[in-house]
Amino acid sequence: MKRVALLGATGSIGTQALEVIHAHPGLELCAAASGSRPVEGLAPLTQTGGDLTELLERAEPDVVLNAIVGFAGLPATLWTLERGIDLALANKESLVAAGDLALAARERGGGRILPVDSEHSAAFQCLDGAEPGSVHSLVLTASGGPFRHRDLHELESVTPSEALAHPTWRMGPKITIDSATLMNKGLEVIEAHFLFGLPYDRIEVVVHPSSVVHALVRFRDGAALAHVGHPDMRVPISYALTYPERAATPVPPLDLASGLILEFSAPDEGAFPCLALARAAGEAGGTAPCVLNAANEVAVEAFLAGELPFTGIPEVVERTLSAVGTPPAAGLDELVERDAEARRVAGALTREVVH
Ligand code: MG
């Protein structure tokens, strides 16, 4: 029996994870937590808000599924990796904002990171058993979001409800807006860099509107392996929780005979500057990805509240990155300080962009 601690139990990943756990006799939910919504009765140990590492300490899990949204997910990631416990990771910020710290914690603890993000789970599966030297590069696919064919000018007036209507994936509001700006793909490039140890120039992004191919790995012999399937998060969640078993899920097989067409194209980096901003922050290293992430969280929240235009999101992120210093952080405390400073600056810039 594998004991699962589920953090972020009431969100989109959390509720799908509950479905996977309840359907699998080998998985036992030992603890459940959420940031703000009540979770009493979901598991033997529950907690809403506060320091989730206290809950983990009592729960003694075999695997922690971290599906907390945002920077708040960091302490649980570091706690899990320091102890050598398997981390099923659905919290992007853990690797984006704290990639260096997370990898150092994993090195000390000796545990595994099992990615839950669909693209990274796909790449992880394609890489299974591959000799590291045989890998040429990684290709992450992006649906392109709801505004795929719009130019920068047309994007100025889009509303939160238009941005929340994602064409292929059903997800929480923060990640749905990030998908519409392509920041989500930018964060995933940084995440992939840390997860797979690949330099940024060997992580490619292509637009693939139907979201059937989740990632491809190119090998040095010219072959590429692709991971294909319905866009359904229960697959990567189940894969991470039951690894290496690959348990059954209710997700149906792809119907290839009905005429499946796979389309790919280059992303429009002019209309969607967040992708290049994220890549540049990743390449700059230090705390630049942490600052990028903090500024983006503030800007997305302001956009959802109707206080910032859609095109103000990359503007706030870019200006915050030039205003805040980004030297490496020695530990979580320093990272928390940098995150807070970036949020203050981004908040002030948000008010400036509007007025
Ligand atoms: Mg993803």
Side-chain angles (χ1 to χ4, degrees), residues 155-184:
L155 289 173
E156 275 166 18
S157 56
V158 302
T159 64
S161 62
E162 288 176 281
L164 285 170
H166 195 275
T168 49
W169 289 97
R170 279 182 309 107
M171 307 175 290
K174 163 70 168 55
I175 185 173
T176 304
I177 301 304
D178 285 345
S179 296
T181 61
L182 289 195
M183 179 59 95
N184 182 52

PDB file of all heavy atoms in Angstrom, residues 155-184:
ATOM      1  N   LEU A 155      -4.984  41.745 -28.938  1.00  0.00           N
ATOM      2  CA  LEU A 155      -4.945  41.182 -27.584  1.00  0.00           C
ATOM      3  C   LEU A 155      -5.176  42.238 -26.498  1.00  0.00           C
ATOM      4  O   LEU A 155      -5.490  41.910 -25.363  1.00  0.00           O
ATOM      5  CB  LEU A 155      -3.589  40.494 -27.350  1.00  0.00           C
ATOM      6  CG  LEU A 155      -3.388  39.184 -28.118  1.00  0.00           C
ATOM      7  CD1 LEU A 155      -1.966  38.690 -27.960  1.00  0.00           C
ATOM      8  CD2 LEU A 155      -4.374  38.125 -27.633  1.00  0.00           C
ATOM      9  N   GLU A 156      -5.035  43.526 -26.880  1.00  0.00           N
ATOM     10  CA  GLU A 156      -5.163  44.586 -25.879  1.00  0.00           C
ATOM     11  C   GLU A 156      -6.517  44.596 -25.191  1.00  0.00           C
ATOM     12  O   GLU A 156      -6.632  44.933 -24.018  1.00  0.00           O
ATOM     13  CB  GLU A 156      -4.916  45.963 -26.544  1.00  0.00           C
ATOM     14  CG  GLU A 156      -3.444  46.298 -26.605  1.00  0.00           C
ATOM     15  CD  GLU A 156      -3.149  47.465 -27.534  1.00  0.00           C
ATOM     16  OE1 GLU A 156      -4.078  48.228 -27.865  1.00  0.00           O
ATOM     17  OE2 GLU A 156      -1.972  47.584 -27.933  1.00  0.00           O
ATOM     18  N   SER A 157      -7.559  44.216 -25.927  1.00  0.00           N
ATOM     19  CA  SER A 157      -8.913  44.367 -25.378  1.00  0.00           C
ATOM     20  C   SER A 157      -9.549  43.054 -24.920  1.00  0.00           C
ATOM     21  O   SER A 157     -10.732  43.030 -24.606  1.00  0.00           O
ATOM     22  CB  SER A 157      -9.794  45.024 -26.447  1.00  0.00           C
ATOM     23  OG  SER A 157      -9.735  44.243 -27.626  1.00  0.00           O
ATOM     24  N   VAL A 158      -8.791  41.944 -24.867  1.00  0.00           N
ATOM     25  CA  VAL A 158      -9.456  40.692 -24.479  1.00  0.00           C
ATOM     26  C   VAL A 158      -9.807  40.703 -22.985  1.00  0.00           C
ATOM     27  O   VAL A 158      -9.118  41.298 -22.165  1.00  0.00           O
ATOM     28  CB  VAL A 158      -8.620  39.429 -24.830  1.00  0.00           C
ATOM     29  CG1 VAL A 158      -8.330  39.369 -26.308  1.00  0.00           C
ATOM     30  CG2 VAL A 158      -7.346  39.362 -24.019  1.00  0.00           C
ATOM     31  N   THR A 159     -10.922  40.047 -22.656  1.00  0.00           N
ATOM     32  CA  THR A 159     -11.436  40.073 -21.283  1.00  0.00           C
ATOM     33  C   THR A 159     -11.015  38.800 -20.535  1.00  0.00           C
ATOM     34  O   THR A 159     -10.682  37.791 -21.157  1.00  0.00           O
ATOM     35  CB  THR A 159     -12.973  40.126 -21.295  1.00  0.00           C
ATOM     36  OG1 THR A 159     -13.442  38.907 -21.899  1.00  0.00           O
ATOM     37  CG2 THR A 159     -13.492  41.316 -22.085  1.00  0.00           C
ATOM     38  N   PRO A 160     -11.084  38.839 -19.190  1.00  0.00           N
ATOM     39  CA  PRO A 160     -10.787  37.629 -18.421  1.00  0.00           C
ATOM     40  C   PRO A 160     -11.646  36.437 -18.849  1.00  0.00           C
ATOM     41  O   PRO A 160     -11.142  35.318 -18.959  1.00  0.00           O
ATOM     42  CB  PRO A 160     -11.076  38.041 -16.981  1.00  0.00           C
ATOM     43  CG  PRO A 160     -10.796  39.508 -16.944  1.00  0.00           C
ATOM     44  CD  PRO A 160     -11.240  40.007 -18.300  1.00  0.00           C
ATOM     45  N   SER A 161     -12.927  36.635 -19.128  1.00  0.00           N
ATOM     46  CA  SER A 161     -13.756  35.474 -19.460  1.00  0.00           C
ATOM     47  C   SER A 161     -13.352  34.872 -20.805  1.00  0.00           C
ATOM     48  O   SER A 161     -13.395  33.650 -20.978  1.00  0.00           O
ATOM     49  CB  SER A 161     -15.247  35.799 -19.414  1.00  0.00           C
ATOM     50  OG  SER A 161     -15.542  36.781 -20.359  1.00  0.00           O
ATOM     51  N   GLU A 162     -12.919  35.706 -21.753  1.00  0.00           N
ATOM     52  CA  GLU A 162     -12.412  35.152 -23.027  1.00  0.00           C
ATOM     53  C   GLU A 162     -11.123  34.380 -22.785  1.00  0.00           C
ATOM     54  O   GLU A 162     -10.893  33.322 -23.363  1.00  0.00           O
ATOM     55  CB  GLU A 162     -12.096  36.288 -24.017  1.00  0.00           C
ATOM     56  CG  GLU A 162     -13.291  36.999 -24.607  1.00  0.00           C
ATOM     57  CD  GLU A 162     -12.842  38.164 -25.489  1.00  0.00           C
ATOM     58  OE1 GLU A 162     -12.493  39.231 -24.958  1.00  0.00           O
ATOM     59  OE2 GLU A 162     -12.824  37.978 -26.716  1.00  0.00           O
ATOM     60  N   ALA A 163     -10.256  34.914 -21.917  1.00  0.00           N
ATOM     61  CA  ALA A 163      -8.963  34.273 -21.645  1.00  0.00           C
ATOM     62  C   ALA A 163      -9.138  32.976 -20.859  1.00  0.00           C
ATOM     63  O   ALA A 163      -8.310  32.079 -20.939  1.00  0.00           O
ATOM     64  CB  ALA A 163      -8.056  35.242 -20.882  1.00  0.00           C
ATOM     65  N   LEU A 164     -10.248  32.885 -20.114  1.00  0.00           N
ATOM     66  CA  LEU A 164     -10.478  31.687 -19.295  1.00  0.00           C
ATOM     67  C   LEU A 164     -11.073  30.526 -20.100  1.00  0.00           C
ATOM     68  O   LEU A 164     -11.192  29.419 -19.598  1.00  0.00           O
ATOM     69  CB  LEU A 164     -11.390  32.022 -18.107  1.00  0.00           C
ATOM     70  CG  LEU A 164     -10.714  32.811 -16.970  1.00  0.00           C
ATOM     71  CD1 LEU A 164     -11.742  33.298 -15.958  1.00  0.00           C
ATOM     72  CD2 LEU A 164      -9.650  31.973 -16.266  1.00  0.00           C
ATOM     73  N   ALA A 165     -11.448  30.800 -21.367  1.00  0.00           N
ATOM     74  CA  ALA A 165     -12.068  29.748 -22.184  1.00  0.00           C
ATOM     75  C   ALA A 165     -10.991  28.990 -22.956  1.00  0.00           C
ATOM     76  O   ALA A 165     -10.763  29.216 -24.136  1.00  0.00           O
ATOM     77  CB  ALA A 165     -13.076  30.375 -23.141  1.00  0.00           C
ATOM     78  N   HIS A 166     -10.295  28.067 -22.278  1.00  0.00           N
ATOM     79  CA  HIS A 166      -9.222  27.313 -22.935  1.00  0.00           C
ATOM     80  C   HIS A 166      -9.796  26.282 -23.904  1.00  0.00           C
ATOM     81  O   HIS A 166     -10.760  25.597 -23.566  1.00  0.00           O
ATOM     82  CB  HIS A 166      -8.338  26.612 -21.890  1.00  0.00           C
ATOM     83  CG  HIS A 166      -7.036  26.139 -22.462  1.00  0.00           C
ATOM     84  ND1 HIS A 166      -6.922  24.937 -23.105  1.00  0.00           N
ATOM     85  CD2 HIS A 166      -5.816  26.725 -22.512  1.00  0.00           C
ATOM     86  CE1 HIS A 166      -5.666  24.804 -23.524  1.00  0.00           C
ATOM     87  NE2 HIS A 166      -4.973  25.876 -23.176  1.00  0.00           N
ATOM     88  N   PRO A 167      -9.201  26.200 -25.119  1.00  0.00           N
ATOM     89  CA  PRO A 167      -9.785  25.307 -26.117  1.00  0.00           C
ATOM     90  C   PRO A 167      -9.689  23.803 -25.819  1.00  0.00           C
ATOM     91  O   PRO A 167     -10.564  23.039 -26.228  1.00  0.00           O
ATOM     92  CB  PRO A 167      -9.004  25.645 -27.403  1.00  0.00           C
ATOM     93  CG  PRO A 167      -7.740  26.291 -26.947  1.00  0.00           C
ATOM     94  CD  PRO A 167      -8.071  26.977 -25.652  1.00  0.00           C
ATOM     95  N   THR A 168      -8.627  23.350 -25.144  1.00  0.00           N
ATOM     96  CA  THR A 168      -8.473  21.893 -25.002  1.00  0.00           C
ATOM     97  C   THR A 168      -8.384  21.381 -23.565  1.00  0.00           C
ATOM     98  O   THR A 168      -8.824  20.273 -23.282  1.00  0.00           O
ATOM     99  CB  THR A 168      -7.223  21.384 -25.767  1.00  0.00           C
ATOM    100  OG1 THR A 168      -6.106  22.188 -25.421  1.00  0.00           O
ATOM    101  CG2 THR A 168      -7.438  21.407 -27.265  1.00  0.00           C
ATOM    102  N   TRP A 169      -7.803  22.148 -22.639  1.00  0.00           N
ATOM    103  CA  TRP A 169      -7.607  21.656 -21.281  1.00  0.00           C
ATOM    104  C   TRP A 169      -8.563  22.357 -20.323  1.00  0.00           C
ATOM    105  O   TRP A 169      -8.781  23.561 -20.437  1.00  0.00           O
ATOM    106  CB  TRP A 169      -6.175  21.950 -20.802  1.00  0.00           C
ATOM    107  CG  TRP A 169      -5.098  21.145 -21.452  1.00  0.00           C
ATOM    108  CD1 TRP A 169      -4.312  21.538 -22.501  1.00  0.00           C
ATOM    109  CD2 TRP A 169      -4.635  19.836 -21.073  1.00  0.00           C
ATOM    110  NE1 TRP A 169      -3.407  20.547 -22.785  1.00  0.00           N
ATOM    111  CE2 TRP A 169      -3.578  19.497 -21.938  1.00  0.00           C
ATOM    112  CE3 TRP A 169      -5.025  18.920 -20.085  1.00  0.00           C
ATOM    113  CZ2 TRP A 169      -2.897  18.285 -21.843  1.00  0.00           C
ATOM    114  CZ3 TRP A 169      -4.346  17.719 -19.997  1.00  0.00           C
ATOM    115  CH2 TRP A 169      -3.297  17.401 -20.876  1.00  0.00           C
ATOM    116  N   ARG A 170      -9.107  21.618 -19.353  1.00  0.00           N
ATOM    117  CA  ARG A 170      -9.881  22.234 -18.274  1.00  0.00           C
ATOM    118  C   ARG A 170      -8.982  22.346 -17.061  1.00  0.00           C
ATOM    119  O   ARG A 170      -8.510  21.349 -16.519  1.00  0.00           O
ATOM    120  CB  ARG A 170     -11.118  21.387 -17.932  1.00  0.00           C
ATOM    121  CG  ARG A 170     -12.278  21.611 -18.895  1.00  0.00           C
ATOM    122  CD  ARG A 170     -13.493  20.796 -18.491  1.00  0.00           C
ATOM    123  NE  ARG A 170     -13.177  19.393 -18.278  1.00  0.00           N
ATOM    124  CZ  ARG A 170     -13.117  18.814 -17.090  1.00  0.00           C
ATOM    125  NH1 ARG A 170     -13.371  19.499 -15.988  1.00  0.00           N
ATOM    126  NH2 ARG A 170     -12.820  17.534 -16.995  1.00  0.00           N
ATOM    127  N   MET A 171      -8.673  23.577 -16.633  1.00  0.00           N
ATOM    128  CA  MET A 171      -7.685  23.786 -15.575  1.00  0.00           C
ATOM    129  C   MET A 171      -8.142  24.925 -14.674  1.00  0.00           C
ATOM    130  O   MET A 171      -9.141  25.575 -14.934  1.00  0.00           O
ATOM    131  CB  MET A 171      -6.333  24.162 -16.207  1.00  0.00           C
ATOM    132  CG  MET A 171      -5.853  23.172 -17.264  1.00  0.00           C
ATOM    133  SD  MET A 171      -4.349  23.703 -18.099  1.00  0.00           S
ATOM    134  CE  MET A 171      -4.923  25.086 -19.075  1.00  0.00           C
ATOM    135  N   GLY A 172      -7.372  25.182 -13.620  1.00  0.00           N
ATOM    136  CA  GLY A 172      -7.672  26.298 -12.728  1.00  0.00           C
ATOM    137  C   GLY A 172      -7.436  27.632 -13.434  1.00  0.00           C
ATOM    138  O   GLY A 172      -6.815  27.689 -14.496  1.00  0.00           O
ATOM    139  N   PRO A 173      -7.957  28.766 -12.844  1.00  0.00           N
ATOM    140  CA  PRO A 173      -7.879  30.062 -13.517  1.00  0.00           C
ATOM    141  C   PRO A 173      -6.451  30.584 -13.743  1.00  0.00           C
ATOM    142  O   PRO A 173      -6.154  31.115 -14.810  1.00  0.00           O
ATOM    143  CB  PRO A 173      -8.654  31.009 -12.590  1.00  0.00           C
ATOM    144  CG  PRO A 173      -8.827  30.288 -11.304  1.00  0.00           C
ATOM    145  CD  PRO A 173      -8.735  28.824 -11.610  1.00  0.00           C
ATOM    146  N   LYS A 174      -5.541  30.420 -12.763  1.00  0.00           N
ATOM    147  CA  LYS A 174      -4.176  30.958 -12.918  1.00  0.00           C
ATOM    148  C   LYS A 174      -3.483  30.331 -14.127  1.00  0.00           C
ATOM    149  O   LYS A 174      -2.972  31.018 -15.003  1.00  0.00           O
ATOM    150  CB  LYS A 174      -3.392  30.709 -11.621  1.00  0.00           C
ATOM    151  CG  LYS A 174      -1.863  30.820 -11.725  1.00  0.00           C
ATOM    152  CD  LYS A 174      -1.382  32.229 -11.933  1.00  0.00           C
ATOM    153  CE  LYS A 174       0.111  32.418 -11.749  1.00  0.00           C
ATOM    154  NZ  LYS A 174       0.991  31.577 -12.533  1.00  0.00           N
ATOM    155  N   ILE A 175      -3.511  29.017 -14.203  1.00  0.00           N
ATOM    156  CA  ILE A 175      -2.802  28.326 -15.292  1.00  0.00           C
ATOM    157  C   ILE A 175      -3.508  28.546 -16.634  1.00  0.00           C
ATOM    158  O   ILE A 175      -2.870  28.569 -17.680  1.00  0.00           O
ATOM    159  CB  ILE A 175      -2.613  26.820 -14.971  1.00  0.00           C
ATOM    160  CG1 ILE A 175      -1.758  26.135 -16.045  1.00  0.00           C
ATOM    161  CG2 ILE A 175      -3.909  26.109 -14.775  1.00  0.00           C
ATOM    162  CD1 ILE A 175      -1.387  24.715 -15.712  1.00  0.00           C
ATOM    163  N   THR A 176      -4.816  28.772 -16.607  1.00  0.00           N
ATOM    164  CA  THR A 176      -5.530  29.022 -17.856  1.00  0.00           C
ATOM    165  C   THR A 176      -5.118  30.368 -18.450  1.00  0.00           C
ATOM    166  O   THR A 176      -4.908  30.491 -19.659  1.00  0.00           O
ATOM    167  CB  THR A 176      -7.057  28.947 -17.631  1.00  0.00           C
ATOM    168  OG1 THR A 176      -7.359  27.663 -17.065  1.00  0.00           O
ATOM    169  CG2 THR A 176      -7.812  29.078 -18.938  1.00  0.00           C
ATOM    170  N   ILE A 177      -4.974  31.378 -17.598  1.00  0.00           N
ATOM    171  CA  ILE A 177      -4.481  32.681 -18.087  1.00  0.00           C
ATOM    172  C   ILE A 177      -3.032  32.530 -18.561  1.00  0.00           C
ATOM    173  O   ILE A 177      -2.650  33.055 -19.617  1.00  0.00           O
ATOM    174  CB  ILE A 177      -4.576  33.776 -16.994  1.00  0.00           C
ATOM    175  CG1 ILE A 177      -6.031  33.949 -16.525  1.00  0.00           C
ATOM    176  CG2 ILE A 177      -4.003  35.105 -17.512  1.00  0.00           C
ATOM    177  CD1 ILE A 177      -7.027  34.262 -17.599  1.00  0.00           C
ATOM    178  N   ASP A 178      -2.224  31.794 -17.800  1.00  0.00           N
ATOM    179  CA  ASP A 178      -0.833  31.566 -18.217  1.00  0.00           C
ATOM    180  C   ASP A 178      -0.765  30.849 -19.567  1.00  0.00           C
ATOM    181  O   ASP A 178       0.179  31.056 -20.332  1.00  0.00           O
ATOM    182  CB  ASP A 178      -0.083  30.726 -17.169  1.00  0.00           C
ATOM    183  CG  ASP A 178       0.290  31.529 -15.924  1.00  0.00           C
ATOM    184  OD1 ASP A 178       0.232  32.774 -15.978  1.00  0.00           O
ATOM    185  OD2 ASP A 178       0.649  30.899 -14.908  1.00  0.00           O
ATOM    186  N   SER A 179      -1.748  30.012 -19.857  1.00  0.00           N
ATOM    187  CA  SER A 179      -1.776  29.335 -21.156  1.00  0.00           C
ATOM    188  C   SER A 179      -2.124  30.332 -22.259  1.00  0.00           C
ATOM    189  O   SER A 179      -1.612  30.242 -23.369  1.00  0.00           O
ATOM    190  CB  SER A 179      -2.804  28.211 -21.167  1.00  0.00           C
ATOM    191  OG  SER A 179      -2.432  27.232 -20.234  1.00  0.00           O
ATOM    192  N   ALA A 180      -3.010  31.279 -21.939  1.00  0.00           N
ATOM    193  CA  ALA A 180      -3.423  32.270 -22.932  1.00  0.00           C
ATOM    194  C   ALA A 180      -2.284  33.242 -23.269  1.00  0.00           C
ATOM    195  O   ALA A 180      -2.197  33.737 -24.395  1.00  0.00           O
ATOM    196  CB  ALA A 180      -4.651  33.038 -22.439  1.00  0.00           C
ATOM    197  N   THR A 181      -1.402  33.516 -22.299  1.00  0.00           N
ATOM    198  CA  THR A 181      -0.272  34.438 -22.559  1.00  0.00           C
ATOM    199  C   THR A 181       0.960  33.680 -23.061  1.00  0.00           C
ATOM    200  O   THR A 181       1.947  34.307 -23.434  1.00  0.00           O
ATOM    201  CB  THR A 181       0.171  35.172 -21.272  1.00  0.00           C
ATOM    202  OG1 THR A 181       0.607  34.208 -20.297  1.00  0.00           O
ATOM    203  CG2 THR A 181      -0.939  36.033 -20.694  1.00  0.00           C
ATOM    204  N   LEU A 182       0.915  32.357 -23.016  1.00  0.00           N
ATOM    205  CA  LEU A 182       2.060  31.453 -23.270  1.00  0.00           C
ATOM    206  C   LEU A 182       3.088  31.485 -22.147  1.00  0.00           C
ATOM    207  O   LEU A 182       4.138  30.852 -22.241  1.00  0.00           O
ATOM    208  CB  LEU A 182       2.737  31.685 -24.622  1.00  0.00           C
ATOM    209  CG  LEU A 182       1.973  31.266 -25.877  1.00  0.00           C
ATOM    210  CD1 LEU A 182       2.928  31.216 -27.078  1.00  0.00           C
ATOM    211  CD2 LEU A 182       1.294  29.917 -25.745  1.00  0.00           C
ATOM    212  N   MET A 183       2.805  32.233 -21.047  1.00  0.00           N
ATOM    213  CA  MET A 183       3.721  32.185 -19.905  1.00  0.00           C
ATOM    214  C   MET A 183       3.797  30.762 -19.356  1.00  0.00           C
ATOM    215  O   MET A 183       4.843  30.304 -18.906  1.00  0.00           O
ATOM    216  CB  MET A 183       3.270  33.156 -18.807  1.00  0.00           C
ATOM    217  CG  MET A 183       4.163  33.151 -17.577  1.00  0.00           C
ATOM    218  SD  MET A 183       5.898  33.586 -17.931  1.00  0.00           S
ATOM    219  CE  MET A 183       5.870  35.352 -17.584  1.00  0.00           C
ATOM    220  N   ASN A 184       2.664  30.060 -19.427  1.00  0.00           N
ATOM    221  CA  ASN A 184       2.677  28.682 -18.924  1.00  0.00           C
ATOM    222  C   ASN A 184       3.768  27.870 -19.628  1.00  0.00           C
ATOM    223  O   ASN A 184       4.510  27.123 -18.999  1.00  0.00           O
ATOM    224  CB  ASN A 184       1.305  28.039 -19.135  1.00  0.00           C
ATOM    225  CG  ASN A 184       1.247  26.624 -18.581  1.00  0.00           C
ATOM    226  OD1 ASN A 184       1.581  26.396 -17.426  1.00  0.00           O
ATOM    227  ND2 ASN A 184       0.878  25.676 -19.410  1.00  0.00           N
TER     228      ASN A 184
END
